[in-house]
Amino acid sequence: MTVRGDLPAQTTTFIGRRAVLADAEVLLGRARLVTLVGAGGIGKTRIAEEIGRAMARTSAFQHGVREVRLADLKDPALLARTVAAELRIIDNSQDSGLGRLVESLYDKNLLLVLDHCEHLLDAVRHLVHHLVRDCEGLRILTTSREPLGVYGEHLLRVPPMSDEDSAELFLERAGQGVTPRVSGSPLAIELVAARPDEALADDMTLEQVLDWTAERCTDEERQLWATLSVLPADFDLAAAEAVAGTDVLEPLSALVRASIVVAATSPVTGHTRYRMLGSVSEFGARLLVDTNEPLRRHALHYSTFVDEAARSWFSPDEVVWLGRVREEWPNIRAAVTCALKTTELAETGATMAMNVQRTRFTSVAGLLGQAWDLLAMAREVITEAPLRTSLLAHCAFVAQARGDMAAAIALIAEARALPRSPITDLNLVFAEATHLFFVEGSPDCVPLYAHVVELCRQYASPGDTYFAELMHAMATCFLLDAEAADKATTRLAEHDDVHWSHAWALWHEGLYELLHGDPAQVHPLAVEALRIQLALGDTWGPAFSLWLLACACAELGAFDRAARLLGALRSQERVTRISLSTMRPFHKLLERTDRTVRRALGDDYPIITTLGADLRQEQAMEFALEPVPLSERRPAKPALPGGLSRQEFTIAGLVAEGLTSRQIGARLFISPRTADRHVVNIRVKLGLPNRMALAAWHRSATGEA
């Protein structure tokens, strides 16, 4: 959170209000909470932005100025998660998101601007109270039509523009004409300035100007104005046409010229996006006879959009798709909620909630908390199989990803008792395999993942298929022998035109080298994987890359670096709510790495890990991307006798101890059958006739004979 500010770019000149700006800056110098209070259309948003820009130019706030617009938010329960998402705070938590906000902001010296609070007063009061109480370096500037009523709030009333400033604004926007008297409302002046040649009565209020503007629209324009008022956030032309049910380009362009709709260019697609200001939208809503049909069309439009995103993101266009889903996220979230509350659209809403997760957007963006909220809402509505079976399985995987294995087990158990179809079988078997992999560390998950891959190839998208292949390869690498792991790892490298999958292929190649090959090869592979993940803005993958880098540095003998990475990893786990301790194979290797580093560093271990944990996010990533100097590395280990891998040599040692295949399996968390196969493969490699000969060979190789 070191960005100086994320305020919208200035597209028009800011005029007047110098006294208000000066008073606000003085107040923010001594008050923790300042609210700009005034009527709709009086210019509170623009003043707040100007105050933010002025503050960002100073050194008053080390961590900058951040603005969150709340006009589009209808559900107060989503307030904390929405603010967290706008601040790009990772929110994979199980609570409402307030805990994550406090945790992220408590040590920040930041000005937070919350715009348009009047329709969420109770929720904003609760949020602001906790932020002001728990985050000492935080100052908050809010805009509202009425005071929040929070202890310590300082009010600054925004008056109408002076006659002189009103005239300047009108001439700036209209470029001609006689300045009308319209109550000093900047919005009213903007609307009138769009029609400078038309007669206007003196001293009109904003409401009267809106009436006057509507009278001068055609029937088609008025109807579109009314229909677009149902849209919960900014939108593109396709959404406008879907909601209005007709070709809208001409009337929409007329509304833009009339300042009823504001147009801007999307930084993601380069296409035009549109929005209506709050007072304009509220007026349009009063013109609308029936909201149900436009809302239904909105939900269906975004259902189609999310379905296409789920099918298409796994492509060279993945960055654009991730950007588009983020841009449309308020619309998607509102569409899911609306559909789930509409009986005939409930199944559509549940499918949307699952498809959102299939795009991988919520995990990449750190919004698993919001994904869970939508899936939980769908679970309350959908009671019949097979859709409920799929829904439960999706919820189980999200719970597993967040480390809540107890919740996942209960969801899987409920799903098992319900009827299934091939597609629900796919989702459920995937969750069951993940339980066997993460919780039990059992190789029995490998054939289940292989079954899921086959089902995906028949019934799912390429992205779903790749994700199943990734989990299959990961489990194979951890739980089976080198030959099987090599085959699975090689298959992952086939999709290097997709950045996300290319990063995971590199990561997995590093995992293979760590477990079955040459540990010296791991570090550059993990670094490149991390570099791609950071370029994508991925908040999920870097924790796994830090894990791999810490293990690799320990193998290289770079113990100081490994300790710092272990500390950084613990911070990353806390921030992302990814708990590697709940993923048995990862945790087992991490424990071994931790023991190795702890033994090597002795009393310095806690000091160095704390230094790593104290690194800011960007500092930790910069450190992780650094090459390991030769001076930090210990000499390479000599090759193991007989050309055996580390795991094979370990198994040979267990045979020499007299352990049976069942006992070896229990010790190494593999099945007795897999252990027996390993023993046979080792004997074949060494040319030995039986286990007794293998035991004798190991004792000789280790000097124990």
Side-chain angles (χ1 to χ4, degrees):
M1 186 146 337
T2 57
V3 180
R4 295 303 308 161
D6 65 342
L7 298 164
Q10 271 187 303
T11 56
T12 56
T13 307
F14 182 81
I15 293 173
R17 309 304 185 95
R18 298 301 169 193
V20 177
L21 292 180
D23 290 344
E25 290 186 31
V26 170
L27 268 181
L28 283 169
R30 56 184 173 85
R32 299 274 313 286
L33 172 62
V34 176
T35 298
L36 299 177
V37 180
I42 205 69
K44 300 183 296 296
T45 296
R46 190 63 190 272
I47 292 170
E49 290 174 0
E50 201 64 22
I51 293 168
R53 287 193 186 91
M55 290 298 188
R57 288 192 292 268
T58 72
S59 58
F61 297 99
Q62 177 187 353
H63 297 102
V65 179
R66 305 297 294 269
E67 181 191 29
V68 180
R69 289 182 172 176
L70 301 176
D72 299 333
L73 182 63
K74 309 304 180 188
D75 186 352
L78 293 174
L79 176 62
R81 289 210 193 280
T82 299
V83 174
E86 290 298 312
L87 298 182
R88 298 296 176 96
I89 293 171
I90 297 171
D91 179 20
N92 296 326
S93 59
Q94 299 175 35
D95 60 25
S96 64
L98 179 56
R100 283 293 299 123
L101 267 179
V102 170
E103 185 180 9
S104 297
L105 299 178
Y106 83 96
D107 61 346
K108 300 296 187 295
N109 177 229
L110 175 81
L111 174 62
L112 174 62
V113 181
L114 299 177
D115 186 34
H116 285 290
C117 298
E118 56 273 352
H119 62 302
L120 301 166
L121 277 179
D122 287 342
V124 172
R125 285 189 194 107
H126 179 72
L127 178 78
V128 167
H129 166 74
H130 283 278
L131 290 179
V132 171
R133 185 190 68 185
D134 299 333
C135 306
E136 293 184 5
L138 183 68
R139 294 185 184 241
I140 302 176
L141 174 66
T142 69
T143 74
S144 178
R145 295 180 188 177
E146 56 183 290
L148 302 185
V150 177
Y151 178 77
E153 178 184 27
H154 286 64
L155 299 180
L156 184 58
R157 300 210 172 259
V158 179
M161 297 187 80
S162 66
D163 290 345
E164 182 181 350
D165 288 341
S166 295
E168 184 180 353
L169 177 60
F170 180 82
L171 292 174
E172 168 77 21
R173 302 296 189 260
Q176 60 175 328
V178 178
T179 306
R181 294 178 57 82
V182 286
S183 71
S185 164
L187 176 57
I189 294 169
E190 297 267 3
L191 291 169
V192 172
R195 304 175 188 272
D197 297 327
E198 301 200 24
L200 183 74
D202 280 344
D203 205 14
M204 292 177 70
T205 65
L206 173 60
E207 188 70 20
Q208 291 170 324
V209 170
L210 286 166
D211 278 324
W212 176 85
T213 302
E215 289 170 2
R216 280 149 182 78
C217 291
T218 65
D219 289 343
E220 187 180 18
E221 290 164 5
R222 271 194 302 276
Q223 181 58 43
L224 182 59
W225 181 354
T227 302
L228 294 180
S229 70
V230 308
L231 292 170
D234 62 294
F235 53 91
D236 61 9
L237 180 61
E241 290 178 338
V243 171
T246 184
D247 181 7
V248 301
L249 184 57
E250 187 174 334
L252 181 58
S253 299
L255 294 180
V256 172
R257 290 193 296 272
S259 294
I260 296 166
V261 172
V262 179
T265 301
S266 164
V268 177
T269 64
H271 299 155
T272 303
R273 291 188 70 79
Y274 306 90
R275 65 182 178 92
M276 279 196 287
L277 298 177
S279 298
V280 176
S281 180
E282 290 167 12
F283 183 88
R286 296 201 294 272
L287 303 176
L288 191 61
V289 176
D290 177 26
T291 62
N292 291 331
E293 182 58 20
L295 286 172
R296 187 186 71 85
R297 290 174 175 172
H298 179 266
L300 291 174
H301 171 72
Y302 281 99
S303 172
T304 301
F305 172 82
V306 171
D307 179 67
E308 184 182 3
R311 288 184 288 103
S312 305
W313 73 269
F314 190 73
S315 70
D317 296 327
E318 64 177 327
V319 174
V320 174
W321 273 110
L322 284 171
R324 289 185 67 190
V325 175
R326 180 180 285 281
E327 192 170 58
E328 296 287 8
W329 182 239
N331 280 305
I332 293 168
R333 192 175 60 194
V336 173
T337 302
C338 174
L340 289 172
K341 292 179 178 178
T342 307
T343 303
E344 63 271 22
L345 293 179
E347 292 191 359
T348 298
T351 302
M352 283 179 71
M354 291 187 287
N355 281 342
V356 163
Q357 188 54 27
R358 289 176 57 221
T359 67
R360 306 298 156 201
F361 163 72
T362 52
S363 55
V364 167
L367 296 176
L368 280 180
Q370 293 196 38
W372 177 264
D373 290 346
L374 294 178
L375 289 167
M377 192 186 308
R379 264 198 354 260
E380 294 295 318
V381 175
I382 302 299
T383 58
E384 298 295 325
L387 184 57
R388 182 171 178 81
T389 316
S390 280
L391 193 56
L392 291 167
H394 270 270
C395 289
F397 180 72
V398 174
Q400 289 167 334
R402 300 198 308 179
D404 189 354
M405 301 307 176
I409 291 170
L411 290 161
I412 291 171
E414 183 183 348
R416 280 179 182 149
L418 296 176
R420 289 146 69 165
S421 67
I423 191 66
T424 59
D425 199 52
L426 181 161
N427 296 316
L428 181 54
V429 174
F430 186 86
E432 290 173 332
T434 302
H435 172 80
L436 288 172
F437 180 27
F438 282 173
V439 178
E440 298 185 16
S442 169
D444 294 341
C445 68
V446 176
L448 285 184
Y449 278 131
H451 179 52
V452 172
V453 170
E454 292 306 314
L455 289 173
C456 282
R457 287 172 180 161
Q458 296 180 62
Y459 301 106
S461 69
D464 295 326
T465 304
Y466 181 86
F467 192 69
E469 289 176 339
L470 173 62
M471 295 299 289
H472 173 259
M474 198 182 296
T476 301
C477 209
F478 270 113
L479 304 172
L480 296 188
D481 57 33
E483 183 179 357
D486 183 47
K487 289 180 181 177
T489 302
T490 302
R491 282 196 298 269
L492 286 182
E494 296 173 0
H495 300 282
D496 59 1
D497 58 339
V498 182
H499 296 300
W500 181 84
S501 65
H502 183 49
W504 278 107
L506 290 167
W507 180 93
H508 200 277
E509 189 178 344
L511 178 68
Y512 170 82
E513 295 293 346
L514 181 70
L515 296 174
H516 303 285
D518 180 5
Q521 302 300 316
V522 178
H523 194 273
L525 293 166
V527 163
E528 187 57 28
L530 178 60
R531 197 184 308 280
I532 295 171
Q533 290 164 344
L534 294 175
L536 283 174
D538 185 357
T539 67
W540 187 256
F544 292 86
S545 292
L546 284 178
W547 171 88
L548 188 57
L549 285 165
C551 295
C553 287
E555 289 293 326
L556 292 172
F559 298 118
D560 185 284
R561 182 173 294 271
R564 288 176 187 258
L565 289 170
L566 287 171
L569 173 60
R570 286 162 192 157
S571 290
Q572 185 74 4
E573 286 184 285
R574 178 178 54 78
V575 168
T576 61
R577 294 299 197 271
I578 300 172
S579 178
L580 293 171
S581 65
T582 63
M583 303 175 189
R584 189 171 185 176
F586 288 90
H587 181 60
K588 182 182 173 185
L589 203 56
L590 188 61
E591 278 192 319
R592 190 182 77 188
T593 296
D594 190 77
R595 285 194 302 270
T596 301
V597 175
R598 193 184 294 269
R599 280 196 303 267
L601 296 179
D603 292 342
D604 290 337
Y605 171 86
I607 299 171
I608 299 174
T609 53
T610 300
L611 289 173
D614 288 344
L615 292 172
R616 296 196 307 271
Q617 175 79 356
E618 63 273 17
Q619 291 175 323
M621 295 307 162
E622 287 174 8
F623 178 74
L625 292 172
E626 291 177 0
V628 182
L630 290 175
S631 59
E632 292 187 19
R633 304 186 186 198
R634 67 182 175 188
K637 287 182 179 178
L640 292 172
L644 299 186
S645 70
R646 183 167 55 210
Q647 184 183 43
E648 288 172 331
F649 196 74
T650 298
I651 291 173
L654 295 176
V655 170
E657 291 179 24
L659 273 63
T660 66
S661 292
R662 180 174 297 278
Q663 291 168 326
I664 292 172
R667 180 80 63 88
L668 299 180
F669 303 109
I670 60 178
S671 69
R673 184 174 58 187
T674 300
D676 197 51
R677 188 170 68 246
H678 277 305
V679 172
V680 171
N681 289 341
I682 294 166
R683 287 198 295 104
V684 170
K685 182 182 286 189
L686 298 175
L688 300 172
N690 51 44
R691 295 173 76 102
M692 289 179 62
L694 176 57
W697 175 88
H698 186 274
R699 286 191 291 269
S700 174
T702 56
E704 297 178 5

